[in-house]
């Protein structure tokens, strides 16, 4: 019975994927990229399964135990989904707080019902979800703003090597980045309603994707949801007054984020400023202690105070977007990340010059502002809390594709691409 169920579900998914691919291939401007980028994704997924990390083994082992509970005690399994602990026979697992590790295990336990517990199928499902989120964002930008570059999404989410690698297979980033990209896409469709489709369905997807993003990284989700809420307020202002001036948009965004941070600190101690700075300092100290013999960052003046965080913020942004350098580290991943960063630095300089020359691109200012603030805030958070450069290279995948989306919109980059095409 279980095998028949798995075969039917996989056949339905495969049929749906083929229909979806046929439609995406017909998309103007980017349709030709769907098969090459999907094949790259699948190849990378194969590598991720071939060289599974310790985390992936841990997810798989406990997910299988949860699936055993599903078949034998489905009621207990359903109750477990809403708890932060798992108990079944001699198996016990307890986490405290918002554990994305336990949540990942729960997701895989559900996928096991479809895959029959086959690891490479589970990895494929997660990779396809990440791919779908990125592709949905590319199509959304291409249809909402024909003068903009949807190819920036393709570059940032589906071609950039470390992003493709860390968002493929049994990784938390597959769900994190995929849900973030799709969430942004559907929020944009609600704020700029030019696309067909029932609005209530988009609202339902926004709620579901926002919840998923929150479960994967609640601090990151708080920032993304905050800037998207600020963008919504900007859209309300534009519809009421018709103004497109940039200063009111900036003030609204910063004001809402500040008010949201204060409100969150009143609701939950986890979001209080002193709690945040203390946790940041603790993470930095703990990771630094085990990274002394590896490429790492150091902030000698970092202290668990707001003033210290602000003082070290510029260095954190610089480090999160440029390190490791090509000559740091000895492994292949360090070399690839370093070469990426050299290219990223050039793209950032080109984008900065484009801003000075008022040629930053055709996306609305409010959208670019929201994404820029999201990238900057996450760069500060990760740059200060993650001194290990290998870990930083992985964690920054949460904002790196959005940053690449931004800095590949300018007219100078578009000109370079046109010349390369001949």
């Amino acid at each position: 019975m279980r095998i028949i169920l798995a075969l039917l579900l996989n056949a339905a998914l495969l049929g749906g994927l083929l229909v979806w691919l046929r439609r995406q291939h017909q998309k103007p401007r980017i349709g030709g990229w769907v098969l090459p980028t999907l094949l790259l994704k699948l190849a990378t997924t194969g590598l991720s399964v071939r060289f599974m990390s310790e985390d992936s083994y841990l997810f798989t082992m406990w997910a299988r135990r949860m699936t055993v509970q599903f078949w034998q005690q489905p009621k207990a399994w359903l109750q477990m989904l809403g708890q932060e602990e798992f108990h079944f026979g001699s198996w016990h697992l307890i986490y405290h707080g918002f554990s994305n590790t336990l949540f990942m295990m729960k997701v895989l336990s559900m996928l096991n019902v479809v895959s029959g517990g086959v690891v490479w199928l589970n990895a494929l499902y997660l990779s396809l979800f990440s791919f779908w989120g990125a592709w949905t964002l590319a199509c959304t930008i291409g249809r909402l703003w024909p003068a903009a570059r949807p190819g920036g999404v393709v570059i940032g989410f589906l071609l950039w090597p470390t992003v493709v690698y860390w968002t493929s297979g049994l990784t938390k980033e597959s769900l994190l980045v995929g849900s973030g990209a799709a969430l942004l896409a559907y929020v944009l469709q609600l704020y700029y309603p030019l696309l067909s489709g029932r609005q209530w369905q988009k609202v339902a997807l926004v709620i579901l994707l926002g919840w998923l993003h929150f479960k994967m990284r609640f601090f990151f989700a708080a920032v993304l949801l905050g800037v998207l809420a600020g963008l919504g307020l900007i859209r309300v202002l534009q519809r009421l007054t018709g103004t497109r001036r940039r200063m009111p948009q900036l003030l609204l965004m910063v004001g809402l984020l500040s008010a949201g941070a204060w409100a969150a600190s009143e609701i939950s101690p986890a979001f209080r400023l002193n709690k945040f700075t203390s946790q940041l300092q603790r993470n930095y100290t703990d990771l630094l202690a085990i990274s002394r013999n590896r490429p790492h960052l150091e902030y000698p003046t970092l202290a668990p105070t707001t003033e210290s965080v602000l003082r070290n913020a510029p260095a954190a942004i610089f480090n999160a977007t440029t390190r490791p350098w090509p000559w740091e580290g000895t492994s292949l991943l360090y070399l690839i990340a370093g070469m990426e960063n050299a290219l990223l630095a050039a793209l950032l300089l080109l984008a900065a010059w484009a801003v000075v020359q008022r040629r930053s691109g055709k996306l609305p200012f409010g959208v670019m502002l929201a994404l820029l603030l999201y990238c900057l805030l996450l760069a500060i958070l990760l740059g200060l809390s993650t001194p290990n450069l290998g870990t930083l290279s992985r964690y920054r995948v949460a904002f790196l594709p959005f940053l690449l989306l931004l800095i590949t919109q300018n007219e100078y980059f578009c000109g370079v691409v046109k010349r390369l095409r001949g």
Side-chain angles (χ1 to χ4, degrees), residues 202-216:
K202 295 175 183 177
V203 172
L205 279 170
V206 165
I207 294 173
L208 178 61
L209 291 165
W211 170 80
L212 176 58
H213 201 65
F214 184 85
K215 294 294 291 185
M216 294 314 300

Side-chain angles (χ1 to χ4, degrees), residues 92-164:
H92 303 280
L93 190 65
I94 300 175
Y95 281 87
H96 301 284
F98 300 101
S99 172
N100 54 14
T101 298
L102 181 59
F103 180 76
M104 187 75 174
M105 296 171 184
K106 295 175 183 178
V107 171
L108 288 177
S109 75
M110 291 183 278
L111 289 179
N112 283 338
V113 177
V114 182
S115 68
V118 178
V119 173
W120 68 267
L121 270 178
N122 286 340
L124 175 64
Y125 298 146
L126 294 181
S127 292
L128 288 176
F129 174 78
S130 174
F131 184 89
W132 166 78
W135 191 260
T136 300
L137 179 57
C139 293
T140 297
I141 289 177
R143 293 181 64 187
L144 288 178
W145 301 288
R149 279 188 51 80
V153 180
V154 175
I155 293 171
F157 287 82
L158 301 176
L159 291 177
W160 201 260
T162 53
V163 174
V164 175

Side-chain angles (χ1 to χ4, degrees), residues 339-357:
M339 294 174 65
E340 275 188 1
N341 286 334
L343 177 58
L344 179 62
L347 292 176
L348 285 168
L349 290 173
L350 186 64
W353 178 248
V355 171
V356 172
Q357 297 297 313

Side-chain angles (χ1 to χ4, degrees), residues 5 25 87 103 105 123 142 154 166 201 216 222 239 246 259 272 274-275 283 288 292 305 322 345 358 415:
L5 177 62
H25 188 68
H87 302 282
F103 180 76
M105 296 171 184
V154 175
W166 289 118
Q201 292 177 336
M216 294 314 300
R239 290 178 180 178
R246 295 184 173 185
R272 288 177 182 168
N274 59 343
K275 176 75 173 180
N283 289 344
L288 183 62
R292 293 292 186 182
T305 64
T322 63
R358 298 183 179 271

Side-chain angles (χ1 to χ4, degrees), residues 250-278:
L250 176 61
L251 293 176
L252 273 177
M253 181 70 75
V254 173
L256 182 65
L257 289 176
S258 301
W262 174 83
S265 68
E266 293 297 312
I267 295 173
S268 172
F271 291 99
R272 288 177 182 168
L273 199 55
N274 59 343
K275 176 75 173 180
F276 169 77
T277 54
S278 297

